[in-house]
Amino acid sequence: MNPTDMSEKGLETLIVNSLINDAGYVPGDPKDYDREHAVDLAKLMEFAKVTQPKAFEALSLGEDTPKRTKFLHRLQGEIARRGVIDVLRLGVNDGHIKLELFYGTPSEQNPKAQELYKQNIFSVTRQLQYSMDNTKLALDMAIFINGLPVITFELKNKITKQTVEDAVQQYKCDRDSRELLFQFGRCAVHFAVDDHEVRMCTHLKDKASWFLPFNKGYNDGAGNPPNPNGIATDYLWKETLQKDSLTNILENYAQIVEKKDEKTGRKKHEQIFPRYHQLDVVRKLLASAPVDGVGKRYLIQHSAGSGKSNSISWLAHQFVGLEKDGKALFDTIIVVTDRRVLDKQLRDNIKRFAQVSSIVGAVTEGSQQLRSFLEQGKKVIITTVQKFPFVLDQIGDHHRNSKFAIIIDEAHSSQGGRTASKMNMVLAESTAQYGEPEPEEDIEDAINKIMTSRKMLSNASYFAFTATPKNKTLEIFGEPYSEGDTVKHRPFHAYTMKQAIQEGFILDVLQNYTPVDSYYRLIKSVENDPEFDTRRARKKLRRYVESHNYAIRQKAEIMIDHF
């Protein structure tokens, strides 16, 4: 940015110049924007003419005719129905003519696809006058692919006393969500940006618009680290919006999903765009897995509010196509989860992301079904923690020549309770093999016990997602590093509770929390009893006292009175 130009326009110029000079975008002209159909007509025509001359002729796209208007109406309707992401992926049919609107990531072995990919036109338009009613209303910036709008921006600069929050307010108060460009599914995402922070929204609803942070995180908390070479938010245009990166997001992450309210049966549509830490962890794992080879363990410490279910779905779906030296890195991806609700959510998510849902199998019946999925060669198998020992037996004994990615969705200790006790019953059946389950063992302990009680399988890589890992979990799945003479372990990737709290995804319950000490008066009936195991007795007594109905009722009353 020009040191003297600290305005919003300065930030706009900086981003546009970077996208054009370094990322291979072309400048768009606001005059080419067709407000009635929300497309950059010139870029759409240019792309169609160069890549599909026959369709270009057949649809009379070269001149303003009723035929062209009919096609633009058709395109407009398809985007309204399916959303721009799907239209870019699958193109549009008009009668018997199909028009491709985007060429995706080419494989290395396909020179023709590489040529077509290069024909995509990524353009950036400044001061886009988008409104049908008021031609003076203009957006700071918009990105188009082959003439279709995919991203809008409102930019602010702290030096002019305006921040990302002002950009958010501008979207909420000054940008009418009924305008064609701002309607649901018309763009993949809307970014509010200043020189310190980025926020994003996938569905503008005026004052009800919900903006999520798209920040790297700093010092384990919210925000972005200082950038010695420029602006703290330049990762947005220097990394995320690079052509290959944006293409990859549109192909593998962003999409519209249908969600059904179980109570009312009503269906609603939601548009998903990855947050920074989700994109970062999946991309880093996809890059590390082929280099590390099969047989490694990874710990992903992602707090509640991190969107773990989507991260796991994106990872599982992209592991399917991951290759090393021209061969599939993993034959099967097994997702282990302990939450019934999430199990369904995960199942639905993975099926949505996997273009072919028949490659996904969810174990709903028992071990026999799991065995048959493994034999059928299902690419993604979703199963519960209870089946985990069986999974390890099967892939260690009968599928030694196949390679597996095991993604473990570990609940945190707080989710113990009933699932944990069920898990203990399952574990108790194989006590001889795994040792006696501790009375206060939770899912995380159970998984750790199973992992340590068995030899590490060399034909499987493990990816454990957990919110607050215990030391044992860090030891088993974390990356070792030396600090002085001691060996410690750290997660492969972290989105901390501190960051989730600062970003407003979870409330800090400790903020207004006063601990109260508990005292028990215990009578020891036999003096100097050597059999008396203090640690174990204390655990049991504490459990008895604290789970006693009367004690719980008294505590609850005190807490409610206090609040």
Side-chain angles (χ1 to χ4, degrees), residues 118-133:
K118 285 180 193 156
Q119 302 294 336
N120 287 321
I121 304 168
F122 286 72
S123 63
V124 55
T125 305
R126 301 175 69 160
Q127 296 303 314
L128 182 75
Q129 293 171 343
Y130 59 84
S131 176
M132 288 293 287
D133 306 330

Side-chain angles (χ1 to χ4, degrees), residues 103-271:
Y103 291 107
T105 307
S107 64
E108 284 170 26
Q109 300 80 27
N110 191 337
K112 186 167 189 293
Q114 287 171 12
E115 278 312 305
L116 287 168
Y117 177 67
K118 285 180 193 156
Q119 302 294 336
N120 287 321
I121 304 168
F122 286 72
S123 63
V124 55
T125 305
R126 301 175 69 160
Q127 296 303 314
L128 182 75
Q129 293 171 343
Y130 59 84
S131 176
M132 288 293 287
D133 306 330
N134 184 346
T135 48
K136 290 191 184 71
L137 285 175
L139 258 177
D140 285 338
M141 216 171 81
I143 282 177
F144 293 80
I145 295 178
N146 303 329
L148 301 189
V150 283
I151 304 173
T152 72
F153 300 82
E154 290 293 356
L155 309 172
K156 297 291 170 223
N157 198 325
K158 282 195 172 168
I159 293 163
T160 54
K161 301 281 185 291
Q162 285 207 310
T163 68
V164 71
E165 196 47 59
D166 294 286
V168 167
Q169 288 310 315
Q170 198 165 359
Y171 270 119
K172 288 182 170 186
C173 305
D174 304 343
R175 304 287 175 235
D176 187 341
S177 65
R178 289 169 303 187
E179 292 279 2
L180 194 53
L181 184 63
F182 301 132
Q183 286 174 15
F184 179 73
R186 185 61 54 177
C187 288
V189 68
H190 306 277
F191 280 124
V193 185
D194 71 10
D195 43 337
H196 286 70
E197 272 197 68
V198 181
R199 299 214 194 138
M200 63 173 215
C201 178
T202 55
H203 188 178
L204 292 175
K205 306 178 198 169
D206 304 315
K207 288 204 167 102
S209 304
W210 192 38
F211 278 78
L212 298 168
F214 190 85
N215 295 319
K216 288 182 162 185
Y218 179 47
N219 277 344
D220 280 344
N224 285 302
N227 178 359
N229 308 313
I231 287 178
T233 49
D234 71 6
Y235 60 89
L236 179 64
W237 53 96
K238 289 185 174 174
E239 295 170 27
T240 312
L241 300 178
Q242 294 292 305
K243 286 184 182 180
D244 292 355
S245 166
L246 185 52
T247 298
N248 170 257
I249 292 170
L250 293 172
E251 287 179 327
N252 294 307
Y253 296 85
Q255 74 178 75
I256 290 175
V257 299
E258 187 181 87
K259 293 209 167 164
K260 189 176 169 185
D261 187 319
E262 295 301 326
K263 286 178 191 160
T264 61
R266 268 207 207 116
K267 288 178 183 170
K268 64 171 184 168
H269 290 90
E270 237 176 64
Q271 185 160 270

Side-chain angles (χ1 to χ4, degrees), residues 392-416:
L392 296 182
D393 284 341
Q394 283 292 305
I395 68 179
D397 299 339
H398 305 289
H399 297 273
R400 235 168 289 154
N401 299 326
S402 297
K403 299 185 294 292
F404 295 86
I406 299 178
I407 303 174
I408 303 167
D409 175 25
E410 289 192 2
H412 9 163
S413 315
S414 61
Q415 282 173 315

